[in-house]
Amino acid sequence: DARVTQTPRHKVTEMGQEVTMRCQPILGHNTVFWYRQTMMQGLELLAYFRNRAPLDDSGMPKDRFSAEMPDATLATLKIQPSEPRDSAVYFCASGYRGRTGELFFGEGSRLTVL
Amino acid sequence: AQKITQTQPGMFVQEKEAVTLDCTYDTSDQSYGLFWYKQPSSGEMIFLIYQGSYDEQNATEGRYSLNFQKARKSANLVISASQLGDSAMYFCAIASNFGNEKLTFGTGTRLTIIP
């Protein structure tokens, strides 16, 4: 079964540390999304890419967050420095533009910043 | 801007009964897609069903169907013959360009199936 793979699944870190989350989209998918889920805010879009080019990162705090796609098989989300308010589940999802229907989500990376 | 409204924070339904989860949307787009996702307690987001704005027939996927009423801007999810494994959070979402652009999610409905 094709699936979106995210690492790490869980991360506990201290405030001020750098955190990098990785995502391997489904092979052949050309659109990758990063979402964050918290109890207070629900599911929020942080950034998304099409054919590795960023289309929208308006949901991302630019001073500490950065998202990249170094190649078609890897998307990264970096937080530096991390803060307790960044504690959340971060989801990566991929899909193929031009084909209507489902967007596949990874299992998420649960981040806790102490 | 697009918006999804899910007015039912929680629902309790007897096993084997049908259940309808409400979703209304707001968009100025003509071409859009509507999605439903299930999130069990394990946390993953599972795609359930999709409806394009020009689809004349309601989408169906097994026990799931989407009751699409375009004039009312509603896209309710119907689960027939509910099962204990249907207990989860359910999210409605909308995206422009028949779903090819970013999804905007609602706040979700927590469904609990009672044996």
Side-chain angles (χ1 to χ4, degrees):
Chain A
D1 265 350
R3 58 174 59 188
V4 176
T5 304
Q6 288 187 248
T7 56
R9 292 293 314 281
H10 302 274
K11 175 76 174 179
V12 180
T13 191
E14 293 191 346
M15 184 172 64
Q17 296 298 304
E18 178 179 301
V19 175
T20 299
M21 288 169 274
R22 293 178 174 80
C23 167
Q24 182 176 0
I26 291 173
L27 191 64
H29 282 186
N30 63 358
T31 308
V32 174
F33 299 80
W34 282 105
Y35 281 89
R36 175 170 66 181
Q37 186 177 33
T38 62
M39 290 294 292
M40 294 300 294
Q41 301 296 327
L43 281 152
E44 307 172 277
L45 178 73
L46 296 175
Y48 79 111
F49 296 80
R50 178 154 297 132
N51 298 322
R52 297 175 54 202
L55 287 190
D56 186 346
D57 61 0
S58 58
M60 213 163 60
K62 302 287 193 307
D63 56 338
R64 299 184 300 108
F65 284 60
S66 62
E68 294 179 344
M69 277 201 77
D71 62 60
T73 65
L74 178 64
T76 62
L77 180 67
K78 187 176 295 186
I79 308 174
Q80 168 64 21
S82 57
E83 297 181 0
R85 59 179 167 154
D86 300 330
S87 298
V89 179
Y90 292 80
F91 286 103
C92 176
S94 74
Y96 185 81
R97 186 181 189 275
R99 182 180 305 156
T100 59
E102 54 201 293
L103 190 65
F104 293 89
F105 278 75
E107 293 181 303
S109 294
R110 181 176 293 277
L111 173 65
T112 302
V113 183
L114 303 174
Chain B
Q2 298 173 321
K3 187 177 179 181
I4 292 285
T5 302
Q6 293 181 256
T7 57
Q8 306 153 309
M11 287 187 70
F12 291 84
V13 172
Q14 204 77 37
E15 190 180 6
K16 298 193 178 80
E17 289 185 352
V19 57
T20 298
L21 303 181
D22 294 341
C23 172
T24 58
Y25 61 91
D26 190 25
T27 181
S28 56
D29 293 333
Q30 297 300 309
S31 306
Y32 53 89
L34 294 154
F35 300 76
W36 278 92
Y37 283 84
K38 172 183 178 182
Q39 187 175 42
S41 57
S42 53
E44 71 266 36
M45 294 286 286
I46 302 168
F47 166 80
L48 295 178
I49 198 165
Y50 164 87
Q51 179 89 35
S53 57
Y54 292 131
D55 294 341
E56 294 186 353
Q57 296 214 334
N58 287 340
T60 60
E61 291 283 349
R63 294 186 299 113
Y64 304 107
S65 61
L66 197 152
N67 185 359
F68 181 45
Q69 298 188 42
K70 196 170 181 177
R72 294 186 176 185
K73 293 192 172 180
S74 81
N76 297 341
L77 177 70
V78 180
I79 307 174
S80 63
S82 57
Q83 302 171 356
L84 296 178
D86 294 332
S87 295
M89 281 289 287
Y90 288 81
F91 291 96
C92 181
I94 187 171
S96 300
N97 194 16
F98 300 112
N100 281 301
E101 307 302 335
K102 59 186 178 183
L103 268 71
T104 299
F105 287 88
T107 52
T109 296
R110 182 171 297 282
L111 176 64
T112 303
I113 306 299
I114 306 166

